[in-house]
Amino acid sequence: MSPKTLYDKIWDAHVAHEADDGTCLLYIDRHLVHEVTSPQAFEGLRMAGRPVRAPEKTIAVPDHNVPTTPGREDPANMTEDSAIQVAALDKNAKEFGIHYYPVTDIRQGIVHIVGPEQGWTLPGMTVVCGDSHTATHGAFGALAHGIGTSEVEHVLATQTLIQKKSKNMKVEITGKLRPGVTAKDITLAVIGATGTAGGTGYVIEYCGEAIRDLSMEGRMTVCNMAIEGGARAGLIAPDEKTFEYVNGRPHAPKGAQWEAALNWWKTLYTDEGAHFDQVITLKGEEIEPVVTWGTSPEDVLPITATVPAPEDFEGGKVEAARRSIDYMGLTPGQKLSDIAIDTVFIGSCTNGRIEDLRAAAEIVKGKKIKDGMRAMVVPGSGLVRLQAEEEGLADVFKEAGFEWRLAGCSMCLAMNPDQLSEGERCASTSNRNFEGRQGYKGRTHLVSPAMAAAAAITGKLTDVRELM
Amino acid sequence: MDKFTKLTGIAAPMPLVNIDTDMIIPKVFLKTIKRSGLGVNLFDEMRYDREGNEIEDFVLNKPAYRNAEILVAGDNFGCGSSREHAPWAIKDFGIKCVISTSFADIFYNNCFKNGILPIVLPQEDVDKLMDDANRGANATVTVDLENQTITGPDGGEISFEVDAFRKHCLLNGLDDIGLTMEKSTSIDAFEETAAQARPWV
Ligand code: SF4
């Protein structure tokens, strides 16, 4: 048998039908659902009189537009249209008999944090969700990607997806990271190197010593942003860390089934000599703490750099850079570490897990946020919030002047009341710095949790290594 | 789903690269539970000022392009979120075909599910069509899916590639779910085998 990549193996194990032209029906093991991209899909089922084919494999949680302040279970505290979407999810979950975590449930949170936390996400699975950051689950060696609403309906009705196989890309991060450099810096540095379209048509497998050294939380951060590099999915081969993370979770296999699962999971790696259509290698030692300066995630530079000039680019990017620099209110040549920040947001499915909060708290401990700074921590799930409270992290944040919120997507996409106002500048641990993403004319700089914490203290983008 | 066979219409130029789904339809409009009615908010933040007045020099506000049915765009069109509201808004506005050198994966898929034809062409062909589009309402472009050709106002013909299965679905307005359900015996059989091999799933 010819050697296979990890992606090949998972793909092959899930093809339910293959047409002559190579179009496949890929069987889906887990379907995650949230309130924004699903109402039209359920409506479609209802109109066609179709049931959900595998309700036991379908999990729903409201996260995108729920408020993160107390009293949010009362629809009166939501905008009318948010309340309509959440109510629709409530109704659809009940009517179609799928697993559901309402806002009142301590396990509620961002869909991509809840899935792994509850053991729904397991190695070797296919996982989809009507949300592009489904790539997060690739950290477990699961083939996970975002889909549109029509595809949500397709998966609900048939438990399959019409797919053609992507190409294989290997992204290797060799060696060790230096202090102050995190998983977020890796994933941003990769996008900086490939561009936001560099991964289009590929599934990426991340490997190398620096990836192996990451915790599961860190690996989820890396895979989360595979989509920002344009890839369909990101994958990391499961290892002992993965198995240890999964073991004992509510929906993970137990007893003899655990043993059987483990046996299969241990075969999930790329064979020696397997073919990759593209290979990218970065040296771990050379990655620095990075920030974005523009309005595309590929606009990445080390914090020690300066704002570029449009003329530094080529082709269509010249105009895009000019527009970005103007939108962001920056001047070419300005030092990135001189950019003053109004708001700090720590949270999202990229960086809303316990390890992220620990890393931020480590920097914040015993200090106060800069006068006039708005800073908030939004844990990725109710359980992350609880754990952070038990570990004393919540107190560290509160004493420093941070707001301590309930779980949800919050200012990552600002569909709930957490938004930037016009011209407000934010250091954010989320994943997108698009125009208007965090609020109309809001300005976003993407950073790691430690870098966000540093900015909250000093009031400007800051090299976290100066505070360590 | 609406069929897509042959389209003759005005092409609007949007040479900007990395036009993302937040630009195509800002998140404030995602709170609908319907698929229709998003066209008025297509490119909302580029198209209207804060008071809701049209911004004159935005391409789709110019008299020549208000009825555009084709969009010629810069690289990596549709990057960002998976929101199908983006193609819904494009379709609702009346645009049925988008041409670029590259598209983001999810957006590209979403187009076909909504009767929109996304066409990938080499840079030089996109440049040529961008020039044609810049000529405004006097110049129409014809997209023929059956023959996989684009004919510019001067009669020059460009051919394009499209996946055979997707072409078939668009030409005939076929619904994916119905097609897949015809293969339900394969899915049943797969489920049975998988339940043996991986009972923990
Ligand atoms: S946290 Fe942000 S990126 Fe993640 S699921 Fe929510 S909105 Fe999407």
Side-chain angles (χ1 to χ4, degrees):
Chain A
M1 227 172 22
S2 58
K4 289 182 176 183
T5 64
L6 172 59
Y7 171 50
D8 298 338
K9 290 181 183 178
I10 304 174
W11 174 272
D12 290 350
H14 289 87
V15 175
H17 181 273
E18 181 163 357
D20 297 338
D21 69 346
T23 305
C24 293
L25 279 183
L26 196 69
Y27 192 83
I28 301 304
D29 294 326
R30 291 287 179 266
H31 185 193
L32 310 174
V33 175
H34 65 84
E35 78 278 23
V36 177
T37 55
S38 68
Q40 293 87 350
F42 284 111
E43 198 50 37
L45 286 189
R46 219 173 258 121
M47 277 158 55
R50 291 170 177 148
V52 173
R53 180 175 168 111
E56 73 286 0
K57 293 174 180 165
T58 313
I59 298 101
V61 58
D63 57 1
H64 277 62
N65 58 29
V66 294
T68 54
T69 41
R72 62 180 181 164
E73 54 290 343
D74 183 351
N77 292 334
M78 267 186 238
T79 61
E80 194 187 342
D81 34 17
S82 294
I84 290 173
Q85 283 192 335
V86 173
L89 189 65
D90 273 326
K91 174 168 174 264
N92 290 328
K94 279 197 201 94
E95 197 174 312
F96 290 94
I98 62 185
H99 300 278
Y100 185 49
Y101 303 101
V103 275
T104 48
D105 193 313
I106 183 79
R107 297 166 298 177
Q108 177 271 346
I110 304 169
V111 62
H112 308 309
I113 294 195
V114 174
E117 206 167 64
Q118 293 301 316
W120 290 115
T121 308
L122 300 172
M125 280 184 160
T126 45
V127 181
V128 296
C129 174
D131 182 282
S132 52
H133 293 95
T134 311
T136 312
H137 308 263
F140 292 81
L143 177 58
H145 56 85
I147 54 178
T149 298
S150 296
E151 290 174 315
V152 170
E153 187 180 338
H154 191 277
V155 176
L156 288 171
T158 69
Q159 206 57 28
T160 62
L161 206 54
I162 301 173
Q163 289 277 287
K164 273 210 169 152
K165 201 171 169 203
S166 304
K167 290 179 284 183
N168 280 289
M169 184 191 298
K170 172 158 108 173
V171 173
E172 186 176 19
I173 316 292
T174 59
K176 300 269 181 216
L177 297 181
R178 289 185 302 176
V181 180
T182 66
K184 183 64 165 288
D185 301 297
I186 294 182
T187 202
L188 282 171
V190 171
I191 299 160
T194 61
T196 48
T200 304
Y202 290 95
V203 164
I204 296 177
E205 180 177 347
Y206 298 94
C207 60
E209 185 182 356
I211 298 291
R212 286 281 138 237
D213 283 350
L214 293 175
S215 64
M216 287 313 294
E217 281 86 353
R219 292 178 189 182
M220 284 189 250
T221 301
V222 170
C223 289
N224 174 277
M225 291 191 72
I227 182 73
E228 258 63 59
R232 172 160 298 172
L235 282 172
I236 295 174
D239 61 11
E240 288 304 324
K241 275 186 198 167
T242 321
F243 309 143
E244 196 186 312
Y245 179 99
V246 169
N247 196 1
R249 304 231 161 226
H251 296 280
K254 314 255 166 356
Q257 292 216 348
W258 170 260
E259 294 305 324
L262 205 55
N263 276 337
W264 187 57
W265 295 345
K266 286 183 175 166
T267 67
L268 298 174
Y269 53 82
T270 291
D271 297 330
E272 192 79 42
H275 175 73
F276 283 97
D277 303 280
Q278 199 179 337
V279 178
I280 287 168
T281 309
L282 297 187
K283 291 195 176 116
E285 299 84 11
E286 289 180 0
I287 299 175
E288 293 196 67
V290 292
V291 300
T292 60
W293 53 267
T295 55
S296 165
E298 71 190 14
D299 300 338
V300 175
L301 282 172
I303 178 67
T304 49
T306 55
V307 176
E311 303 76 52
D312 298 345
F313 299 92
E314 283 172 9
K317 188 70 191 169
V318 177
E319 192 43 45
R322 185 169 295 125
R323 191 182 161 93
S324 278
I325 291 167
D326 178 52
Y327 179 89
M328 293 296 288
L330 300 173
T331 318
Q334 182 180 11
K335 282 168 72 176
L336 292 171
S337 57
D338 282 345
I339 298 173
I341 294 295
D342 307 306
T343 297
V344 166
F345 170 69
I346 298 177
S348 87
C349 60
T350 314
N351 283 129
R353 284 169 286 269
I354 191 70
E355 184 183 274
D356 302 314
L357 304 195
R358 286 185 196 133
E362 181 76 25
I363 301 297
V364 167
K365 202 172 172 117
K367 303 193 184 80
K368 292 265 184 257
I369 61 172
K370 178 87 172 173
D371 274 349
M373 169 77 55
R374 171 160 76 129
M376 65 168 108
V377 181
V378 185
S381 72
L383 291 175
V384 169
R385 182 178 142 97
L386 189 67
Q387 188 177 352
E389 286 173 352
E390 283 170 5
E391 291 183 16
L393 308 180
D395 291 334
V396 169
F397 288 121
K398 285 192 269 188
E399 280 157 20
F402 279 85
E403 294 173 51
W404 179 245
R405 295 295 192 85
L406 298 169
C409 294
S410 179
M411 205 190 268
C412 173
L413 92 164
M415 274 186 81
N416 77 348
D418 306 334
Q419 308 197 355
L420 296 181
S421 52
E422 215 167 314
E424 195 175 344
R425 190 182 296 281
C426 180
S428 178
T429 66
S430 55
N431 43 52
R432 286 194 175 134
N433 51 352
F434 298 155
E435 288 181 20
R437 172 77 176 184
Q438 296 193 292
Y440 181 75
K441 298 265 173 180
R443 294 165 171 161
T444 302
H445 297 275
L446 301 177
V447 289
S448 73
M451 290 280 284
I457 305 295
T458 63
K460 56 195 184 65
L461 292 177
T462 299
D463 190 336
V464 65
R465 295 170 293 195
E466 290 165 14
L467 296 190
M468 287 169 59
Chain B
M1 198 178 73
D2 297 341
K3 287 182 190 175
F4 186 113
T5 48
K6 195 172 184 179
L7 169 68
T8 299
I10 294 162
M14 281 191 82
L16 198 64
V17 301
N18 293 335
I19 292 178
D20 59 66
T21 53
D22 282 69
M23 286 184 190
I24 298 172
I25 185 82
K27 63 193 159 270
V28 284
F29 306 108
L30 306 190
K31 294 194 177 184
T32 172
I33 57 171
K34 298 193 306 238
R35 291 176 202 245
S36 56
L38 289 165
V40 287
N41 303 111
L42 176 68
F43 295 115
D44 196 85
E45 289 178 3
M46 302 163 97
R47 196 164 146 205
Y48 306 103
D49 66 18
R50 234 2 196 173
E51 279 72 52
N53 304 311
E54 288 186 3
I55 297 171
E56 251 175 64
D57 59 358
F58 179 68
V59 58
L60 297 181
N61 288 334
K62 293 181 185 166
Y65 300 108
R66 300 184 83 91
N67 297 317
E69 292 178 88
I70 299 165
L71 199 60
V72 186
D75 306 347
N76 198 26
F77 188 85
C79 59
S81 100
S82 64
R83 61 186 70 157
E84 200 159 318
H85 307 69
W88 294 338
I90 288 173
K91 186 77 187 288
D92 198 61
F93 178 89
I95 290 170
K96 302 182 193 76
C97 174
V98 187
I99 301 171
S100 176
T101 51
S102 60
F103 291 88
D105 189 43
I106 301 177
F107 177 84
Y108 186 77
N109 281 325
N110 281 341
C111 282
F112 287 101
K113 316 276 176 197
N114 291 283
I116 301 169
L117 174 63
I119 301 178
V120 180
L121 290 176
Q123 188 72 53
E124 66 224 51
D125 289 341
V126 172
D127 290 347
K128 164 89 181 48
L129 289 166
M130 197 71 79
D131 278 349
D132 291 341
N134 274 320
R135 287 154 55 180
N138 303 328
T140 57
V141 170
T142 298
V143 178
D144 181 343
L145 177 57
E146 178 72 53
N147 294 308
Q148 297 180 212
T149 55
I150 304 172
T151 315
D154 304 328
E157 210 172 82
I158 296 170
S159 60
F160 62 89
E161 293 297 316
V162 58
D163 175 81
F165 173 71
R166 285 171 154 154
K167 174 179 172 180
H168 173 73
C169 291
L170 268 188
L171 282 174
N172 297 292
L174 294 177
D175 156 33
D176 279 356
I177 297 180
L179 284 171
T180 297
M181 288 203 147
E182 288 171 9
K183 304 196 184 83
S184 61
T185 42
S186 299
I187 304 174
D188 292 341
F190 177 89
E191 267 181 346
E192 235 167 83
T193 321
Q196 300 277 326
R198 299 189 295 277
W200 61 85
V201 172

